[in-house]
Amino acid sequence: MKLTQEQIDQFHTEGWLLLPELFTAEEVDLLRREATTIYEQNRPEVWREKDGKPRTAFAAHKYNEAFRLLGAHPRMIGPVEQVFGERVYMHQYKINAKSTFTGAVWQWHQDYGTWKRDDGMPEPRAMNISIFLDEVMPINGPLMLVPRSHLAGDLKASHDLETTSYPLWTLDEETVTRLVNDGGIVAPTGKPGSMLMFHGNLVHGSAGNITPYPRKIVYLTLNAVSNYIRKPTRPEFIAHQDFAPIETVDDDALVRLAREQKRAA
Ligand code: SIN
Ligand code: MN
């Protein structure tokens, strides 16, 4: 799959791009079922909110077949390699739950801030991809983006170890206010299967989810192979150290797995 020049221009100017319903209902139903099974498992890769509900599951492409296929899917890898002009490997893979009623905030941050400080990533040449597993609505804690904030470069940040169960390099209120005065805030919403791409330096965060509507999103970070991390400090399941370029699977790989599972049921 290839992006149009207009889509590439929007990504470079605004720092983000939404591709609505890139994956079909059949493909997303499979992924949603598998995510629920993963969250029930008691394993180090599954992190929980302070109340015990799932917050995120790391590295699912290493222990779940459906998420392995998603992580090597040509509809996702194609556009990213097109933007970077280079092959990519998987730097990080997480399925964020934003659970009903208690899904907690993600403070304002830039992802490259963490990749640089904690992983020794040389440049912001890693792409964030979000794939919506549930419908993302204005009310269930959508990801909020500050358009054009990626042009501000790598900003001063402090390490927040308190607010949530997940340590994050977060931005201060003054910096966020200044950037929002320029770019505003957008919260891309859409049906399950939609895919959002955003720049590693784009300022983003999300509010809590107090609704009965879950908001599961898969976040994949695809790093240009030449930009591999130099000083990892986090566990391998959070910041991967297999720098081999991803070999894509067939475009219908997820559909075939969904049908196999149905036949076996
Ligand atoms: C993130 O910024 O990595 C996750 C934000 C979210 O899931 O809302
Ligand atoms: Mn982030």
mmCIF file of all heavy atoms in Angstrom, residues 37 48 65 88 105 112 155 157 161 213:
data_model
loop_
_atom_site.group_PDB
_atom_site.id
_atom_site.type_symbol
_atom_site.label_atom_id
_atom_site.label_comp_id
_atom_site.label_asym_id
_atom_site.label_seq_id
_atom_site.Cartn_x
_atom_site.Cartn_y
_atom_site.Cartn_z
ATOM 1 N N THR A 37 -7.840 -11.966 25.470
ATOM 2 C CA THR A 37 -7.190 -13.166 26.029
ATOM 3 C C THR A 37 -5.830 -12.811 26.639
ATOM 4 O O THR A 37 -5.476 -13.286 27.720
ATOM 5 C CB THR A 37 -6.986 -14.215 24.898
ATOM 6 O OG1 THR A 37 -8.224 -14.365 24.228
ATOM 7 C CG2 THR A 37 -6.517 -15.536 25.423
ATOM 8 N N ARG A 48 -0.605 -3.370 34.612
ATOM 9 C CA ARG A 48 -1.958 -3.054 35.061
ATOM 10 C C ARG A 48 -2.045 -1.644 35.630
ATOM 11 O O ARG A 48 -1.045 -1.096 36.075
ATOM 12 C CB ARG A 48 -2.420 -4.089 36.097
ATOM 13 C CG ARG A 48 -2.349 -5.480 35.498
ATOM 14 C CD ARG A 48 -3.054 -6.585 36.198
ATOM 15 N NE ARG A 48 -2.906 -7.770 35.342
ATOM 16 C CZ ARG A 48 -3.733 -8.089 34.353
ATOM 17 N NH1 ARG A 48 -4.810 -7.381 34.140
ATOM 18 N NH2 ARG A 48 -3.507 -9.131 33.585
ATOM 19 N N GLU A 65 0.030 -15.126 17.620
ATOM 20 C CA GLU A 65 0.131 -15.227 16.154
ATOM 21 C C GLU A 65 -0.577 -14.056 15.440
ATOM 22 O O GLU A 65 -0.048 -13.478 14.502
ATOM 23 C CB GLU A 65 -0.436 -16.589 15.708
ATOM 24 C CG GLU A 65 -0.439 -16.827 14.215
ATOM 25 C CD GLU A 65 0.950 -16.814 13.557
ATOM 26 O OE1 GLU A 65 1.983 -16.715 14.254
ATOM 27 O OE2 GLU A 65 0.985 -16.865 12.306
ATOM 28 N N VAL A 88 12.405 -0.885 8.051
ATOM 29 C CA VAL A 88 12.170 -0.612 9.483
ATOM 30 C C VAL A 88 12.168 -1.907 10.294
ATOM 31 O O VAL A 88 11.907 -2.982 9.760
ATOM 32 C CB VAL A 88 10.817 0.122 9.700
ATOM 33 C CG1 VAL A 88 10.851 1.519 9.106
ATOM 34 C CG2 VAL A 88 9.639 -0.669 9.147
ATOM 35 N N VAL A 105 -5.001 8.303 32.690
ATOM 36 C CA VAL A 105 -4.427 9.268 31.733
ATOM 37 C C VAL A 105 -3.065 8.815 31.214
ATOM 38 O O VAL A 105 -2.382 8.009 31.832
ATOM 39 C CB VAL A 105 -4.193 10.667 32.389
ATOM 40 C CG1 VAL A 105 -5.472 11.267 32.893
ATOM 41 C CG2 VAL A 105 -3.154 10.590 33.491
ATOM 42 N N TYR A 112 9.659 10.463 21.389
ATOM 43 C CA TYR A 112 11.103 10.458 21.147
ATOM 44 C C TYR A 112 11.885 10.842 22.412
ATOM 45 O O TYR A 112 13.010 10.383 22.615
ATOM 46 C CB TYR A 112 11.482 11.376 19.964
ATOM 47 C CG TYR A 112 12.967 11.355 19.706
ATOM 48 C CD1 TYR A 112 13.612 10.169 19.357
ATOM 49 C CD2 TYR A 112 13.738 12.510 19.859
ATOM 50 C CE1 TYR A 112 14.984 10.133 19.174
ATOM 51 C CE2 TYR A 112 15.110 12.489 19.661
ATOM 52 C CZ TYR A 112 15.731 11.289 19.321
ATOM 53 O OH TYR A 112 17.090 11.254 19.143
ATOM 54 N N LEU A 155 11.891 18.396 23.220
ATOM 55 C CA LEU A 155 11.654 19.401 24.272
ATOM 56 C C LEU A 155 12.119 18.909 25.651
ATOM 57 O O LEU A 155 12.181 17.702 25.896
ATOM 58 C CB LEU A 155 10.155 19.724 24.333
ATOM 59 C CG LEU A 155 9.555 20.315 23.053
ATOM 60 C CD1 LEU A 155 8.039 20.112 23.010
ATOM 61 C CD2 LEU A 155 9.894 21.798 22.943
ATOM 62 N N ALA A 157 11.987 17.682 29.317
ATOM 63 C CA ALA A 157 10.948 16.824 29.912
ATOM 64 C C ALA A 157 11.392 16.358 31.289
ATOM 65 O O ALA A 157 12.582 16.351 31.598
ATOM 66 C CB ALA A 157 10.718 15.622 29.004
ATOM 67 N N LEU A 161 7.271 9.334 37.537
ATOM 68 C CA LEU A 161 7.219 7.945 38.012
ATOM 69 C C LEU A 161 6.022 7.736 38.934
ATOM 70 O O LEU A 161 5.861 6.662 39.516
ATOM 71 C CB LEU A 161 8.513 7.607 38.783
ATOM 72 C CG LEU A 161 9.816 7.795 38.018
ATOM 73 C CD1 LEU A 161 11.024 7.786 38.946
ATOM 74 C CD2 LEU A 161 9.978 6.715 36.964
ATOM 75 N N TYR A 213 -17.424 2.327 27.556
ATOM 76 C CA TYR A 213 -16.910 1.944 26.237
ATOM 77 C C TYR A 213 -15.396 1.737 26.308
ATOM 78 O O TYR A 213 -14.663 2.691 26.585
ATOM 79 C CB TYR A 213 -17.178 3.041 25.203
ATOM 80 C CG TYR A 213 -18.629 3.426 25.075
ATOM 81 C CD1 TYR A 213 -19.068 4.679 25.499
ATOM 82 C CD2 TYR A 213 -19.555 2.548 24.511
ATOM 83 C CE1 TYR A 213 -20.401 5.049 25.372
ATOM 84 C CE2 TYR A 213 -20.891 2.916 24.389
ATOM 85 C CZ TYR A 213 -21.308 4.155 24.821
ATOM 86 O OH TYR A 213 -22.614 4.520 24.700
#
